[in-house]
Amino acid sequence: MRIGIPSWDDIRAAAGCLEGKAHRTPVLTSAGIDALAGARLFFKCENFQRSGAFKFRGAYHAVSRLSPEEARRGVLTHSSGNHAAALALAASLRGIPAHIVMPSNASIAKRRAVEAYGGQIVLCEPTLAAREETAKRVFRETGAALVHPYDDPAVIAGQGTVALELIEQEPDLDFIIAPVSGGGLISGIALAAAAWPNIELLAAEPEQADDAFQSLRAGRLVRPASTDTIADGLRASLSERTFSVIQRRVREIITVSEAEIIAAMRLLWERMKLVIEPSSATPLAAVLKRRERFQGSRAGLMLTGGNVDLDALPWQARRNG
Amino acid sequence: MRIGIPSWDDIRAAAGCLEGKAHRTPVLTSAGIDALAGARLFFKCENFQRSGAFKFRGAYHAVSRLSPEEARRGVLTHSSGNHAAALALAASLRGIPAHIVMPSNASIAKRRAVEAYGGQIVLCEPTLAAREETAKRVFRETGAALVHPYDDPAVIAGQGTVALELIEQEPDLDFIIAPVSGGGLISGIALAAAAWPNIELLAAEPEQADDAFQSLRAGRLVRPASTDTIADGLRASLSERTFSVIQRRVREIITVSEAEIIAAMRLLWERMKLVIEPSSATPLAAVLKRRERFQGSRAGLMLTGGNVDLDALPWQARRNG
């Protein structure tokens, strides 16, 4: 099987395709958080991206590359959240149906988002087997094109555009740090940042869903022992494709605890006034945990999304028991 | 008594003074909220301003204009919140003391912010008389320069810079809508926007603290019947100075209910991923309440601040009783 990996030119082309369609999200800074970190931190606010997450980049790009004939049959995915909403929005912008296979335990906020964009939800049991089986059934019934959340070259190329944009906005970065889950974002960033070899690329991952960390250490794909993390966007695991890019280009994966994620999340809400989801807090948690590594540097941190249930924030849960 | 009103040149000068000191805050948009409103809305995100509110503009400008001799004795204000934190930060940047007279019922979040910036808090009873008496005592003891939250030409000129910036970022606005409390912001905006006579200037005010609305209708300063609103940044009342500007330049004051404020606030959190305080939600509440007035237009809305207690959000309070 040929493993398709987008080239730098593919990512440039994806950036052209997204121009005027995706938001050019702002890069924000905080003197207070810089003082805490001992570094200059540049937060790329993809929580302000359309559909509330960077996922719109990959989804829109993948949808735009379907032939008219393919597009007519619609698109299909199985996703626990942000990719689902992003694909529903991207499909609605092209005027085609999106069939979204979601586990029955997906958060209400994320289900509502998919519905708001006109996506058609097909619920299934919350197991990988049930998701794949249900997706196959929908495919048999509709012929819709599967747009995988991350194991798809067009999706990876779309996600990579965020790095081109960040580097254009902040040219002198020493680091770029992004969360890793299935690896679509970090491998897109790695391929995009290849033109800037001085930028060190790091990933942040929850200790409680650390398959990327384990895989990089073992030198082969390791299935996660658990995915029980509050960072609900980071429960997927790498594919051969994304792992192969990560292995070559990502210097280190820094794992962070649940408490570190929640503390960093609260800091971003309080000091920077940003509604971000727990996944987005992992890069800051990593920087604060490993201060010495970033001392005096300029680091770009990906805030990947802002889709949280405002009625169930982590600090509420902690307070109320 | 001479009522000092800043000129357009004063506001330009203030903008020069703030360059590189205040954040140039981004303007964000939301296709979803535009669809709800039937208008193109441009949100000027002063919740991302230093100290978490536009107040930094006026405070920094006022502090910068003190002579070295005046500055040495420090600054002094009585404020229930954002101006206090902003003045503390502005003073600390100049390396001078800030004495902040605060009512004993001020929120913990706002007290913490003042302390974090090195401000020296002097608590007093939560009455206007006690605040003024305490401020006089601190003045006798320190000789510190009073920087009023809004009834001060340097403060008004500083606040006005936000309009210059917004108009530069979005040149073709039909409306600018800002909350009104003591009137420092809206009068600064009015003076700054005087060079663009096609922009209609509106203010938004809580029904439950509607002294500006009442004053504009009566043609004279009317003291508020109540200030019992969740929009804790909007409990002050106009001065002769700010009223005189508002009378000449503000077309209409739109009042909004508590429920409308909370609904608009939640919309901004959910759809735009912005941590904003209730005051900041009043312009959007006004636009959604009076849709017909804004149909098809391009409106700039001031999101004035993001300083909220994350442990006591309005929808939590409602849910928990």
Side-chain angles (χ1 to χ4, degrees), chain B residues 210-225:
Chain B
D210 68 345
D211 71 289
F213 174 80
Q214 298 293 349
S215 298
L216 206 59
R217 193 158 69 168
R220 61 179 172 77
L221 267 191
V222 174
R223 290 292 126 206

Side-chain angles (χ1 to χ4, degrees), chain A residues 128-165:
Chain A
L128 189 59
R131 280 159 73 163
E132 287 178 353
E133 191 42 59
T134 309
K136 274 183 200 152
R137 179 171 58 76
V138 175
F139 173 73
R140 281 195 306 270
E141 291 168 9
T142 63
L146 177 72
V147 180
H148 192 278
Y150 52 90
D151 193 34
D152 178 318
V155 169
I156 291 172
Q159 319 303 30
T161 63
V162 73
L164 296 183
E165 222 175 85

Side-chain angles (χ1 to χ4, degrees), chain B residues 25-216:
Chain B
T25 55
V27 173
L28 298 182
T29 60
S30 160
I33 295 183
D34 283 359
L36 283 176
R40 287 279 287 148
L41 306 183
F42 300 89
F43 295 92
K44 178 66 173 162
C45 292
E46 287 288 298
N47 58 323
F48 299 145
Q49 191 47 270
R50 296 185 76 173
S51 79
F54 75 95
K55 294 278 188 180
F56 179 73
R57 295 175 182 269
Y60 185 91
H61 182 234
V63 167
S64 76
R65 290 175 53 113
L66 298 175
S67 71
E69 204 172 344
E70 288 170 323
R72 209 171 304 124
R73 293 193 294 268
V75 287
L76 156 68
T77 199
H78 45 81
S79 160
S80 58
N82 283 337
H83 173 68
L87 189 65
L89 174 56
S92 82
L93 292 172
R94 192 161 173 182
I96 64 175
H99 306 277
I100 311 292
V101 178
M102 280 180 111
S104 52
N105 61 355
S107 82
I108 290 167
K110 291 186 172 177
R111 282 168 62 172
R112 273 201 208 124
V114 168
E115 286 165 353
Y117 295 127
Q120 293 162 31
I121 294 177
V122 187
L123 289 177
C124 70
E125 291 300 300
T127 66
L128 189 60
R131 280 159 74 162
E132 288 178 353
E133 190 44 57
T134 309
K136 274 183 198 155
R137 179 171 58 75
V138 175
F139 173 73
R140 281 195 305 270
E141 291 167 9
T142 62
L146 178 71
V147 180
H148 191 278
Y150 52 90
D151 193 34
D152 177 319
V155 170
I156 292 173
Q159 320 301 34
T161 62
V162 74
L164 296 183
E165 223 175 83
L166 170 61
I167 292 167
E168 207 174 285
Q169 290 166 306
E170 284 302 329
D172 294 313
L173 295 175
D174 301 303
F175 296 97
I176 294 179
I177 311 160
V180 60
S181 178
L185 174 63
I186 193 86
S187 58
I189 293 172
L191 297 164
W196 293 271
N198 291 335
I199 300 177
E200 205 168 309
L201 184 56
L202 305 175
E205 193 176 37
E207 284 171 2
Q208 293 186 195
D210 68 345
D211 71 289
F213 174 80
Q214 298 293 349
S215 298
L216 206 59

